[in-house]
Amino acid sequence: MNLLPRSSKEFSSGQYWEQFFRRRGERAFEWYGGYLELCAVLHKYIKPKDKVLVVGCGNSELSERLYDAGCHNLTNIDVSEVVIRQMNERNGGRRPNMTYQLMDATKTTFSDSHFQAVLDKGTLDAILTDTEAGTLETATKLLTEIGRVLQCGGRYLCVSLAQAHVLEKLVTQFSQGGWMVRIHQVSESSSKESGSQFPLPVFVFVMTKVKEMPGLPQVLEMMPEDEGGKSVRCGSPSELMDMVKERQSYALIRSHLNQNQNSPEVSLDLCDGVSGKTRYTFHVVDSPTVRLPHSNHFAIFIIPQGRETEWLFGSETGRRQLAGSVGFRRLLFVGLHRDQQYESMEAIQSELSAKVLELAPPGLPDNQQIPFLSAGGDIGIRTVQFRGRSEMSGEYVVEDVRGDGMSFFRRLIFLSNQNVVQSEARLLPSNAPSGQKKKRKDKKKQQKANDKMDSEITHVLDKSYLCCEHHKAMISGLSLLHNPGVATEHHLSVLVVGLGGGSLSLFIHDYFLGSEVEAVEIDSAVLDVARHWFGFTLDDRLKVHLSDGLAHITELAEKENVPYDVIMFDVDSKDSSLGMSCPPPAFVEKKFLQSVQRILKDDGIFILNLVCRDPVLKKIVINTIHEVFPLIYLQKIEDEVNEILFCRPVSGQSRDLADLKESARSLEKQLKRPGMLWDESFVLADMLKSIQIV
């Protein structure tokens, strides 16, 4: 038998509810939860001696349970004659002081200030089914009438799902003055007595009527979910509504995860309740359904500080691969945020234990121990060395982090895109504090001592290290210049557009002794960071132009006798809505590319870092480049979106793969000079193993 209305508008129809209760009979209808789920909140605001009006009571057992708990002065009203008769028959002899009356809550017959509390469980939701003028007028009449019959200091308790239009109506109406607004989220009861299947949480809005006084601050509060902490004071009605919507979104995510255990990755942020800043980021990854013991249903993986940008932890593909390899049906990745303090792995486990259980897969045993995993067994080390602000890119930080094992790195991170490393340099230890080898028996103390020791070791920059795989590929592409290889002492004029931390320009300067490198950087803050934090120094072979790369190259193209052997583009787009994040579209327009071609030698090479997720747009870009540069080699970067284009202005300069690899090997031998560090993971020939002509 279908007892739900065909449309939401029928909720506001008296005829619908008359038919509903006639068909349902005397069985209680606890749509938004029963007494056990609501009592913790209700008894905070309804006292035993209060006169209480229950609007739209229906045949709920809530009033009966409140009566039995000592609240005897209860008046219940409803528009359904059937339900009022049923409830009077059911309670007349057993609960003599409680009354049920046939009455419309929008126009009651009670005197002003007659009640200390008004309880509404779902009545406003039933009335306010849409935002049409007539519906809003009826809702306003209900709320105005409730305000009229409440005494000063009285409380209106509205139990609601807080759909967007209901939320806006409640908060807007009661934040005008003369009221204090506080919102509780109803915790789920283990009894599940209501049998509610709503994916949205239930809220109790508590509006306290106060005397209006000029200058009295507006009181808008959200109570914490655990009810044990302090309320959060909101500065505006919109901020309060946003907090409700965030909790609703979280509930929908949980419902989605429970119903779709093979869905794509779900991500959400967990904020500090006091500061409002993001403290943790969760990524929920479900592996394909396989037969696993209950002990392998769920685990938590703590991503160490500073390693969240690594492919394995910082990309959905990497996290899914890791989740599949560790053998859990659901793996919850936890990212730790800068500007937050974390004492230890044990402290994080204690803080997250209750919250992560809310994201566990269905069917997890109640007493199941949830394993916490990590890479390396600790929470990592992150030290912010400098904070700054760029007029072009916003706030940024320079931070030192410990990577895999005992490796340390310095990174430039723009906070507008915190999971992308703008620049990175490897740090080498220059000394270690005394007492380094002293043994300690206590494992926790030993770990803290090790972390402290790691943070105290001074470091120097390793200029041989290229952090980006696409930078390595760009260097390897210099093998295309001559055959066999490039003599590192020969004169080589290089123009690099996009400085970052300066590692690419600096590597060419340091390892190609005959090179003259000019870098073009539009952001002066980036140049300052490179010089002060990444060891970037200028001399007669290394110059920087603070200019827009577009304007600089266009201006050079208008001059004569300014050809370069190599032109490199490694510049990203600030417009995240585009399908291409590197370079900005203006850098691959035909007219500008013709300017690039004019300042490149006939036997030179134009190297472009292309990051384009839109296959149609990528094809258009490559076709446009082909119109100016007839010969293009393409090298895809493994596990990354980056593709490096090596463009030649003359079509007859193609080389076969074996010849290119031999040139790369020859070039690498020349670059490995005595007294110079060399990153052994950088093998030039390997970077060109899948190069192809397009």
Side-chain angles (χ1 to χ4, degrees), residues 174-175 179-182 216-221 233-234 240:
F174 289 100
S175 61
W179 297 88
M180 295 191 300
V181 180
R182 176 178 284 179
L216 188 70
Q218 196 176 44
V219 179
L220 305 168
E221 295 181 332
R233 183 71 63 90
C234 300
L240 182 63

Side-chain angles (χ1 to χ4, degrees), residues 81-345:
E81 184 178 353
V82 171
V83 79
I84 292 299
R85 184 177 64 251
Q86 290 175 352
M87 297 305 285
N88 273 322
E89 291 173 355
R90 195 162 89 188
N91 292 287
R94 299 166 59 191
R95 300 176 178 90
N97 295 329
M98 183 164 64
T99 63
Y100 286 85
Q101 301 180 37
L102 182 65
M103 193 179 298
D104 186 344
T106 64
K107 46 186 177 182
T108 71
T109 59
F110 304 113
S111 59
D112 293 355
S113 305
H114 188 74
F115 296 97
Q116 281 89 37
V118 174
L119 177 57
D120 164 5
K121 191 179 80 164
T123 299
L124 179 64
D125 285 10
I127 290 175
L128 192 52
T129 56
D130 53 54
T131 57
E132 293 181 2
T135 306
L136 290 170
E137 183 181 356
T138 302
T140 300
K141 287 180 180 179
L142 171 67
L143 300 179
T144 301
E145 185 68 2
I146 288 171
R148 183 186 68 82
V149 302
L150 267 177
Q151 296 178 4
C152 187
R155 286 83 58 198
Y156 168 39
L157 285 77
C158 179
V159 185
S160 170
L161 287 180
Q163 292 175 280
H165 58 288
V166 177
L167 173 64
E168 184 174 2
K169 178 64 177 174
L170 275 170
V171 174
T172 301
Q173 176 132 349
F174 289 100
S175 61
Q176 299 300 318
W179 297 88
M180 295 191 300
V181 180
R182 176 178 284 179
I183 304 177
H184 295 256
Q185 181 178 335
V186 177
S187 300
E188 293 184 11
S189 170
S190 59
S191 65
K192 301 292 182 185
E193 66 168 350
S194 66
S196 172
Q197 297 300 314
F198 289 115
L200 290 174
V202 173
F203 295 92
V204 180
F205 291 75
V206 182
M207 286 62 149
T208 303
K209 187 176 181 180
V210 296
K211 184 178 180 180
E212 283 195 73
M213 297 178 63
L216 188 70
Q218 196 176 44
V219 179
L220 305 168
E221 295 181 332
M222 188 79 192
M223 294 300 293
E225 290 182 67
D226 59 11
E227 294 290 337
K230 295 181 179 179
S231 61
V232 178
R233 183 71 63 90
C234 300
S236 66
S238 60
E239 184 181 340
L240 182 63
M241 288 189 281
D242 285 343
M243 294 188 74
V244 172
K245 292 173 183 177
E246 287 171 2
R247 296 194 182 189
Q248 290 172 327
S249 297
Y250 178 61
L252 288 173
I253 288 173
R254 290 181 59 195
S255 175
H256 172 79
L257 288 171
N258 286 339
Q259 296 172 16
N260 304 279
Q261 295 184 58
N262 290 312
S263 61
E265 177 181 287
V266 171
S267 300
L268 63 150
D269 290 333
L270 194 65
C271 298
D272 182 281
V274 177
S275 68
K277 293 183 178 180
T278 302
R279 182 160 173 79
Y280 297 102
T281 294
F282 290 168
H283 302 284
V284 186
V285 180
D286 286 330
S287 297
T289 303
V290 293
R291 287 186 172 274
L292 290 170
H294 282 299
S295 59
N296 282 31
H297 272 203
F298 188 42
I300 316 301
F301 190 98
I302 307 296
I303 302 172
Q305 296 179 96
R307 299 189 64 185
E308 63 280 341
T309 59
E310 294 180 21
W311 178 82
L312 198 60
F313 310 128
S315 69
E316 182 174 350
T317 304
R319 289 189 293 266
R320 191 165 292 280
Q321 177 177 306
L322 180 57
S325 67
V326 297
F328 286 90
R329 192 180 305 282
R330 174 171 293 172
L331 191 61
L332 174 62
F333 289 88
V334 179
L336 312 179
H337 281 247
R338 60 182 56 84
D339 298 329
Q340 296 287 322
Q341 297 296 320
Y342 306 96
E343 183 180 342
S344 64
M345 183 68 74

Side-chain angles (χ1 to χ4, degrees), residues 472-490 492 507-508 511-513 566 568 607 646 655 659-673 678 682-685 687-688:
K472 295 178 181 179
M474 294 171 84
I475 293 295
S476 300
L478 298 181
S479 306
L480 289 160
L481 278 174
H482 302 288
N483 188 14
V486 178
T488 58
E489 294 82 5
H490 290 178
L492 189 68
F507 186 93
I508 297 171
Y511 284 85
F512 293 81
L513 299 181
V566 181
M568 294 181 172
I607 304 176
F646 305 102
R655 309 255 299 277
D659 183 26
L660 285 176
K661 285 187 175 181
E662 183 56 39
S663 293
R665 281 189 283 266
S666 174
L667 176 59
E668 185 176 329
K669 287 180 181 178
Q670 296 176 60
L671 295 175
K672 289 183 175 181
R673 300 193 308 277
W678 182 262
F682 182 16
V683 180
L684 271 67
M687 297 306 303
L688 301 176

